Amino acid sequence: MNSYLEVGKKVKLSKLTSGDVPYQELLTKVEGEVVTIEEDCLEVSLLNLDKNFAEIEFIRIGILLNMCFVGEDALYKVVVEVEQIKEVSKLILVQKGKVQRIQRRKSFRVQAQQSIDYCLAEDSDFQFKTTGLDGTPKIAELIDISSVGLKMKVEFCQELEVGEILELKLNLSFLNGGALKGKIVRIEEDSMIVGVEFLELPDKITQQLTRWIFKKEEEFFEKNKKDLTD
């Protein structure tokens, strides 16, 4: 477990139920932050409690919990047991199951409404351009984005071909105006929709983008959790 986690990592704790846990259930419980890590146990400080810790009925010594967290490229979950409750809001948790990757989270697409600048890459030998686009930018409308690619609506798709490499500039704060690298994998001429797969993103950018996607996903499930659980 310590190979997946680090001090300062945010986690979410929810009551363990039989069978697969709906993803939205993992997102509507208690949030914590890893304080210390040992081989098979860790200390977690609970955050943003909206009620007295003693009133959180599913957290008791000896109780099994689902713990989920964002990794470098996916969302993970693991079963842990509450071994000790320290102070007001700190838990000692012991790993009781294997760390599982929730595969379907990787390709979750966030609908987005913003413009995106793009151009054909004259030189495809790059990962991330901190200086932004090298070529003359064209403007497209971002439709949705995931941790592996995006869809955008262009004004003219006849000038583009599947397999071409693009420089992409998105309005995301952690990119600081830099340009991503992507390959055109699909062109829908009737709707002017272009599908792009990200290529060779630096690890740091991949992690930041993944966290941003998961944060937007949490906001989506929080906003729509009543409909999702009906």
Side-chain angles (χ1 to χ4, degrees):
M1 182 168 63
N2 56 359
S3 62
Y4 293 88
L5 293 168
E6 58 187 16
V7 173
K9 172 76 73 176
K10 298 294 191 301
V11 300
K12 288 185 180 289
L13 300 170
S14 62
K15 185 177 180 180
L16 180 66
T17 58
S18 59
D20 292 335
V21 179
Y23 183 67
Q24 60 267 24
E25 287 298 312
L26 296 176
L27 297 174
T28 57
K29 298 302 182 182
V30 176
E31 183 178 20
E33 180 177 315
V34 176
V35 178
T36 59
I37 305 175
E38 296 184 8
E39 184 174 355
D40 61 352
C41 69
L42 68 158
E43 181 177 345
V44 172
S45 177
L46 301 184
L47 307 173
N48 305 319
L49 295 179
D50 57 3
K51 57 183 177 180
N52 187 286
F53 175 70
E55 297 176 3
I56 303 176
E57 60 181 13
F58 69 91
I59 296 182
R60 295 286 185 272
I61 293 177
I63 289 293
L64 296 179
L65 303 174
N66 268 311
M67 181 177 76
C68 74
F69 55 92
V70 175
E72 292 185 0
D73 59 352
L75 185 79
Y76 295 87
K77 71 175 181 178
V78 61
V79 176
V80 295
E81 179 181 351
V82 180
E83 182 178 78
Q84 184 180 351
I85 299 176
K86 297 175 60 179
E87 301 175 8
V88 177
S89 59
K90 289 185 178 180
L91 306 176
I92 301 298
L93 305 174
V94 178
Q95 181 178 356
K96 290 297 181 179
K98 294 182 179 179
V99 176
Q100 300 178 34
R101 177 175 176 172
I102 303 178
Q103 295 283 353
R104 66 190 183 92
R105 292 302 98 203
K106 183 178 179 180
S107 59
F108 181 87
R109 289 188 172 272
V110 174
Q111 293 185 348
Q113 293 183 340
Q114 63 170 267
S115 62
I116 173 173
D117 294 339
Y118 73 96
C119 69
L120 290 176
E122 297 179 1
D123 178 11
S124 61
D125 188 20
F126 74 97
Q127 288 186 308
F128 178 73
K129 292 188 175 181
T130 58
T131 55
L133 304 182
D134 283 345
T136 302
K138 296 183 179 180
I139 299 177
E141 177 186 353
L142 182 63
I143 304 300
D144 60 41
I145 183 172
S146 75
S147 57
V148 295
L150 58 81
K151 285 196 301 185
M152 62 182 185
K153 185 173 183 178
V154 300
E155 187 174 359
F156 301 104
C157 66
Q158 291 81 2
E159 59 191 17
L160 300 174
E161 295 181 5
V162 172
E164 287 185 315
I165 305 300
L166 300 179
E167 298 176 14
L168 305 154
K169 184 177 179 181
L170 293 93
N171 184 25
L172 298 176
S173 59
F174 58 84
L175 296 179
N176 296 316
L180 305 178
K181 179 180 179 180
K183 179 177 71 174
I184 299 176
V185 294
R186 185 176 65 259
I187 297 176
E188 302 172 11
E189 293 188 4
D190 292 341
S191 59
M192 300 293 183
I193 300 296
V194 176
V196 178
E197 176 187 358
F198 295 134
L199 295 178
E200 302 178 38
L201 297 186
D203 290 342
K204 182 178 180 180
I205 297 297
T206 299
Q207 293 174 28
Q208 291 172 320
L209 180 58
T210 301
R211 292 190 185 100
W212 184 83
I213 294 293
F214 288 148
K215 180 179 179 181
K216 292 299 180 182
E217 183 178 17
E218 289 187 8
E219 292 173 357
F220 169 81
F221 278 119
E222 184 65 26
K223 182 179 179 180
N224 298 280
K225 64 183 178 182
K226 184 179 186 298
D227 294 335
L228 291 166
T229 55
D230 284 347

